[in-house]
Amino acid sequence: MCIRDRADPGFTSAVELRANGVTSPGTVTAMDLSGTTLYLGGSFSHLSGGGAGFSYLKRAARLDAATGRPDAAWNPAFDGTPIFVELSAAGDRAYYGGFMATMNDGATPAYRFTVVSTGASAVPVPGLAKFVPSTATGNPYQQTGIEVGDRFWLGGSEHAFFVYNRPTFALLRGNVTQNDNGGGGDFQSSAADQDVVYGSCHCILSHNYGGATTWPVPNNFDNVEGLRYIGAYDATTGRMIGSFQPQMETRAVRGPWAMTVDTNGVLWAGGDTTRTKLASTTWQTSGGFSRFPRVDTVAPATPASRRCRLRCASSPDRWRPTTR
């Protein structure tokens, strides 16, 4: 998709929220691209674009990424606002998480998270297990999700970052955060880099209880690691990688709200951060953005001369901080 420094005149789209006889501008809170189709989530009820008039599309929709024309037949019709949408690599499903409880105008349960088919009709993918909330009380909204191979990582409120089997959505492993006073931090963004999944939370001075699935009292955990706003996890096993321990200072104890990994394997984190460091480094000013390049641990090619011996010391820490 081309990145432009100005609005594309060929793309036209508008969202409206119509409720109780009042029409107001709608808002988009989530989007993801799959091929040439843009998927949306947000607080809206009608959407137009690409020469088409307004269609009833409630809190989720998909449209042509080039023209903005909506697919009037694909309407999840959620009763609450999604926070994120993540499209599968295969393009066969759209993962929606947020504040909803039902979809299809109340006909189908979709409590806080659901996996929607990208077929002709917006219905739940059949045969999948339901996601497992970390608490039976409160408001367990889901705020971030990412598909990595045959795994799906789901994070949100009540301090949970769980990994599921993609084909069946069976829970494989839980991770729950908690600090000394019983709090922790809701997970709010995620990113992946090859065999590593990152999860960020507003979790200052917390610990990750690996294997736990309940909060506020973590149960059945098999290891405990420190956690300061960003945790790194093995993409296959779901276990936290304890060697990655970034130290962050913030203005309001919120931490990173968004993360991405660029083509060079650099983790970028943006949000409420003022200074950042790793344990072996000095504090660096962040100004809302931090980055963690990978440490090069690949051995160089064997020298052509037989008199030279290969010497390669692999770093025990694959990350080093660089802040901006």
Side-chain angles (χ1 to χ4, degrees):
M1 192 173 185
C2 181
I3 298 176
R4 302 174 183 268
D5 59 0
R6 56 186 172 81
D8 182 353
F11 181 93
T12 60
S13 187
V15 291
E16 291 184 348
L17 178 61
R18 303 177 186 179
N20 302 318
V22 177
T23 298
S24 57
T27 58
V28 175
T29 55
M31 62 174 61
D32 196 16
L33 186 67
S34 179
T36 60
T37 302
L38 182 64
Y39 287 76
L40 305 178
S43 180
F44 54 82
S45 60
H46 291 75
L47 194 147
S48 70
F54 279 97
S55 296
Y56 172 64
L57 298 168
K58 187 179 178 183
R59 295 193 173 91
R62 67 183 182 188
L63 47 83
D64 187 292
T67 67
R69 187 182 184 92
D71 180 352
W74 196 85
N75 182 18
F78 291 122
D79 68 333
T81 301
I83 301 177
F84 79 88
V85 57
E86 168 86 359
L87 269 292
S88 65
D92 62 338
R93 56 178 65 176
Y95 303 94
Y96 276 94
F99 292 102
M100 59 279 198
T102 65
M103 63 182 294
N104 304 137
D105 281 323
T108 308
Y111 186 68
R112 304 304 188 253
F113 174 79
T114 189
V115 186
V116 184
S117 169
T118 58
S121 300
V123 295
V125 173
L128 300 184
K130 296 180 179 179
F131 95 97
V132 179
S134 59
T135 178
T137 60
N139 184 29
Y141 64 89
Q142 299 304 292
Q143 191 161 331
T144 186
I146 186 168
E147 184 186 272
V148 184
D150 64 351
R151 303 284 193 266
F152 186 81
W153 292 75
L154 180 63
S157 69
E158 314 311 359
H159 317 162
F161 197 42
F162 292 179
V163 58
Y164 296 83
N165 172 275
R166 182 196 186 278
T168 65
F169 222 75
L171 177 64
L172 299 177
R173 184 174 176 83
N175 288 283
V176 173
T177 70
Q178 188 181 58
N179 58 28
D180 292 341
N181 64 12
D186 297 344
F187 280 83
Q188 52 206 27
S189 70
S190 54
D193 177 23
Q194 299 177 11
D195 56 344
V196 176
V197 173
Y198 300 99
S200 76
C201 52
H202 53 271
C203 41
I204 183 174
L205 302 177
S206 296
H207 291 85
N208 183 91
Y209 288 79
T213 57
T214 61
W215 187 90
V217 181
N219 67 344
N220 301 323
F221 53 90
D222 53 31
N223 78 305
V224 180
E225 299 280 359
L227 179 59
R228 306 293 186 270
Y229 294 113
I230 301 177
Y233 301 82
D234 185 287
T236 301
T237 67
R239 299 181 70 89
M240 187 176 180
I241 303 171
S243 62
F244 181 64
Q245 289 288 332
Q247 307 295 304
M248 292 185 171
E249 291 185 352
T250 68
R251 291 185 178 90
V253 197
R254 291 295 180 262
W257 285 100
M259 295 190 297
T260 189
V261 176
D262 66 23
T263 55
N264 294 317
V266 179
L267 171 67
W268 291 81
D272 176 27
T273 58
T274 56
R275 296 201 304 167
T276 310
K277 73 169 186 173
L278 290 178
S280 59
T281 63
T282 59
W283 285 106
Q284 301 179 48
T285 300
S286 297
F289 286 94
S290 304
R291 63 178 185 172
F292 299 88
R294 272 190 163 194
V295 171
D296 185 8
T297 59
V298 178
T302 304
S305 173
R306 295 183 179 180
R307 292 177 296 177
C308 297
R309 292 185 178 181
L310 176 64
R311 294 181 180 179
C312 177
S314 178
S315 170
D317 190 347
R318 62 180 289 182
W319 299 272
R320 58 183 179 223
T322 305
T323 55
R324 287 186 175 179

